C-alpha cells in the first residue's frame, strides 16, 4: 500500500488527556469514554497536544510525537492539521465552559479567560 494513501481514521477517545488516564503498576488505564466515536486520529492527537500546551509541558508533546512518528505511518497526517485540530479542541473546551455558565452564573468566565483563549488560539496558528 502506498503510504500517501493511508487514512488514519478510527475509534477515538476524543478526550484523551492526563485526567482521563492513569498508570496502574505497568498498565495504562483509560476512562471517561462519553465523547468517543470514529474520528480522524489527528484530532485524537490534538487533544493530547492541547493538554500538554495548556499545562506548559510542550516537551512531553514533542517527545511523544517524535516517538509516535517512529511507530506509526504518518504521511497522511500533516502537522498543520494538528495545529487546526488543537484550536478546535480549545474551542470545544471553551464551549463547555460557556455551557457551565448556565449552572455557575455568568461570572464563571472572566474577560481575562476569554482573552487568554484568544491569545492561545492565535499562538497556535502563527
Amino acid at each position: 500500500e502506498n503510504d500517501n494513501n493511508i487514512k488514519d481514521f478510527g475509534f477515538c477517545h476524543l478526550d484523551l488527556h492526563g485526567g482521563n488516564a492513569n498508570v496502574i503498576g505497568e498498565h495504562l488505564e483509560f476512562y471517561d469514554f462519553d465523547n468517543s466515536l470514529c474520528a480522524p486520529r489527528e484530532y485524537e492527537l490534538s487533544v493530547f497536544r492541547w493538554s500538554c500546551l495548556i499545562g506548559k509541558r510542550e516537551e512531553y508533546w514533542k517527545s511523544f510525537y517524535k516517538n509516535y512518528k517512529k511507530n506509526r505511518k504518518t504521511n497522511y497526517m500533516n502537522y498543520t492539521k494538528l495545529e487546526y485540530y488543537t484550536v478546535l479542541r480549545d474551542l470545544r473546551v471553551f464551549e463547555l465552559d460557556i455551557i457551565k455558565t448556565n449552572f455557575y452564573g455568568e461570572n464563571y468566565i472572566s474577560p481575562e479567560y476569554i482573552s487568554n483563549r484568544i491569545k492561545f488560539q492565535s499562538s497556535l496558528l502563527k
Side-chain angles (χ1 to χ4, degrees), residues 22-97:
N22 196 13
V23 176
I24 299 174
E26 295 182 18
H27 302 281
L28 188 57
E29 182 177 286
F30 299 99
Y31 39 89
D32 192 14
F33 288 88
D34 57 329
N35 292 308
S36 300
L37 52 85
C38 286
R41 298 220 197 274
E42 289 105 342
Y43 186 81
E44 184 82 288
L45 291 172
S46 74
V47 172
F48 181 67
R49 179 176 185 248
W50 172 86
S51 72
C52 289
L53 296 176
I54 286 290
K56 300 191 185 325
R57 298 180 307 267
E58 189 171 0
E59 69 279 1
Y60 290 6
W61 165 252
K62 288 179 179 177
S63 175
F64 169 82
Y65 192 63
K66 177 183 172 186
N67 287 295
Y68 183 88
K69 290 189 304 182
K70 286 180 185 177
N71 293 292
R72 298 268 311 176
K73 295 179 182 179
T74 58
N75 291 348
Y76 173 73
M77 181 179 6
N78 80 51
Y79 201 78
T80 301
K81 284 185 180 181
L82 282 173
E83 291 172 343
Y84 287 114
Y85 279 129
T86 305
V87 170
L88 285 175
R89 169 60 180 182
D90 197 63
L91 288 170
R92 174 68 176 140
V93 171
F94 188 35
E95 172 192 24
L96 293 171
D97 284 339

